[in-house]
PDB file of all heavy atoms in Angstrom:
ATOM      1  N   VAL A 124      -5.987 -16.399   0.969  1.00  0.00           N
ATOM      2  CA  VAL A 124      -6.904 -17.462   0.547  1.00  0.00           C
ATOM      3  C   VAL A 124      -6.198 -18.703   0.020  1.00  0.00           C
ATOM      4  O   VAL A 124      -6.859 -19.636  -0.431  1.00  0.00           O
ATOM      5  CB  VAL A 124      -7.897 -16.940  -0.527  1.00  0.00           C
ATOM      6  CG1 VAL A 124      -8.648 -15.722  -0.032  1.00  0.00           C
ATOM      7  CG2 VAL A 124      -7.171 -16.620  -1.832  1.00  0.00           C
ATOM      8  N   GLY A 125      -4.868 -18.728   0.068  1.00  0.00           N
ATOM      9  CA  GLY A 125      -4.138 -19.900  -0.403  1.00  0.00           C
ATOM     10  C   GLY A 125      -4.369 -21.114   0.476  1.00  0.00           C
ATOM     11  O   GLY A 125      -4.903 -21.013   1.585  1.00  0.00           O
ATOM     12  N   ASP A 126      -3.961 -22.276  -0.020  1.00  0.00           N
ATOM     13  CA  ASP A 126      -4.142 -23.524   0.721  1.00  0.00           C
ATOM     14  C   ASP A 126      -3.190 -23.566   1.917  1.00  0.00           C
ATOM     15  O   ASP A 126      -1.967 -23.425   1.755  1.00  0.00           O
ATOM     16  CB  ASP A 126      -3.871 -24.721  -0.178  1.00  0.00           C
ATOM     17  CG  ASP A 126      -4.855 -24.799  -1.332  1.00  0.00           C
ATOM     18  OD1 ASP A 126      -6.011 -24.361  -1.142  1.00  0.00           O
ATOM     19  OD2 ASP A 126      -4.477 -25.279  -2.417  1.00  0.00           O
ATOM     20  N   PRO A 127      -3.710 -23.762   3.122  1.00  0.00           N
ATOM     21  CA  PRO A 127      -2.858 -23.816   4.317  1.00  0.00           C
ATOM     22  C   PRO A 127      -1.832 -24.945   4.214  1.00  0.00           C
ATOM     23  O   PRO A 127      -2.094 -25.994   3.642  1.00  0.00           O
ATOM     24  CB  PRO A 127      -3.861 -24.079   5.452  1.00  0.00           C
ATOM     25  CG  PRO A 127      -5.183 -23.644   4.916  1.00  0.00           C
ATOM     26  CD  PRO A 127      -5.135 -23.921   3.448  1.00  0.00           C
ATOM     27  N   GLY A 128      -0.656 -24.705   4.745  1.00  0.00           N
ATOM     28  CA  GLY A 128       0.373 -25.725   4.755  1.00  0.00           C
ATOM     29  C   GLY A 128       1.182 -25.824   3.485  1.00  0.00           C
ATOM     30  O   GLY A 128       2.063 -26.671   3.379  1.00  0.00           O
ATOM     31  N   THR A 129       0.884 -24.964   2.502  1.00  0.00           N
ATOM     32  CA  THR A 129       1.645 -24.972   1.251  1.00  0.00           C
ATOM     33  C   THR A 129       2.660 -23.834   1.250  1.00  0.00           C
ATOM     34  O   THR A 129       2.554 -22.886   2.026  1.00  0.00           O
ATOM     35  CB  THR A 129       0.713 -24.811   0.035  1.00  0.00           C
ATOM     36  OG1 THR A 129       0.019 -23.557   0.137  1.00  0.00           O
ATOM     37  CG2 THR A 129      -0.299 -25.941  -0.014  1.00  0.00           C
ATOM     38  N   VAL A 130       3.635 -23.955   0.375  1.00  0.00           N
ATOM     39  CA  VAL A 130       4.614 -22.893   0.148  1.00  0.00           C
ATOM     40  C   VAL A 130       4.520 -22.516  -1.318  1.00  0.00           C
ATOM     41  O   VAL A 130       4.726 -23.350  -2.197  1.00  0.00           O
ATOM     42  CB  VAL A 130       6.044 -23.347   0.490  1.00  0.00           C
ATOM     43  CG1 VAL A 130       7.041 -22.229   0.197  1.00  0.00           C
ATOM     44  CG2 VAL A 130       6.147 -23.790   1.942  1.00  0.00           C
ATOM     45  N   VAL A 131       4.195 -21.263  -1.590  1.00  0.00           N
ATOM     46  CA  VAL A 131       3.938 -20.806  -2.950  1.00  0.00           C
ATOM     47  C   VAL A 131       5.104 -19.958  -3.448  1.00  0.00           C
ATOM     48  O   VAL A 131       5.473 -18.970  -2.804  1.00  0.00           O
ATOM     49  CB  VAL A 131       2.635 -19.992  -3.027  1.00  0.00           C
ATOM     50  CG1 VAL A 131       2.381 -19.523  -4.455  1.00  0.00           C
ATOM     51  CG2 VAL A 131       1.463 -20.835  -2.528  1.00  0.00           C
ATOM     52  N   VAL A 132       5.688 -20.356  -4.563  1.00  0.00           N
ATOM     53  CA  VAL A 132       6.789 -19.609  -5.182  1.00  0.00           C
ATOM     54  C   VAL A 132       6.552 -19.534  -6.687  1.00  0.00           C
ATOM     55  O   VAL A 132       5.753 -20.288  -7.238  1.00  0.00           O
ATOM     56  CB  VAL A 132       8.163 -20.264  -4.908  1.00  0.00           C
ATOM     57  CG1 VAL A 132       8.493 -20.236  -3.429  1.00  0.00           C
ATOM     58  CG2 VAL A 132       8.192 -21.695  -5.439  1.00  0.00           C
ATOM     59  N   GLY A 133       7.255 -18.619  -7.337  1.00  0.00           N
ATOM     60  CA  GLY A 133       7.194 -18.542  -8.794  1.00  0.00           C
ATOM     61  C   GLY A 133       6.762 -17.186  -9.302  1.00  0.00           C
ATOM     62  O   GLY A 133       6.078 -16.435  -8.606  1.00  0.00           O
ATOM     63  N   ALA A 134       7.162 -16.898 -10.537  1.00  0.00           N
ATOM     64  CA  ALA A 134       6.861 -15.612 -11.166  1.00  0.00           C
ATOM     65  C   ALA A 134       5.569 -15.633 -11.973  1.00  0.00           C
ATOM     66  O   ALA A 134       5.234 -14.644 -12.618  1.00  0.00           O
ATOM     67  CB  ALA A 134       8.013 -15.208 -12.084  1.00  0.00           C
ATOM     68  N   SER A 135       4.828 -16.736 -11.931  1.00  0.00           N
ATOM     69  CA  SER A 135       3.640 -16.842 -12.776  1.00  0.00           C
ATOM     70  C   SER A 135       2.561 -15.832 -12.393  1.00  0.00           C
ATOM     71  O   SER A 135       1.807 -15.373 -13.260  1.00  0.00           O
ATOM     72  CB  SER A 135       3.077 -18.265 -12.733  1.00  0.00           C
ATOM     73  OG  SER A 135       2.857 -18.679 -11.409  1.00  0.00           O
TER      74      SER A 135
END
Side-chain angles (χ1 to χ4, degrees):
V124 305
D126 297 329
T129 61
V130 178
V131 180
V132 296
S135 53

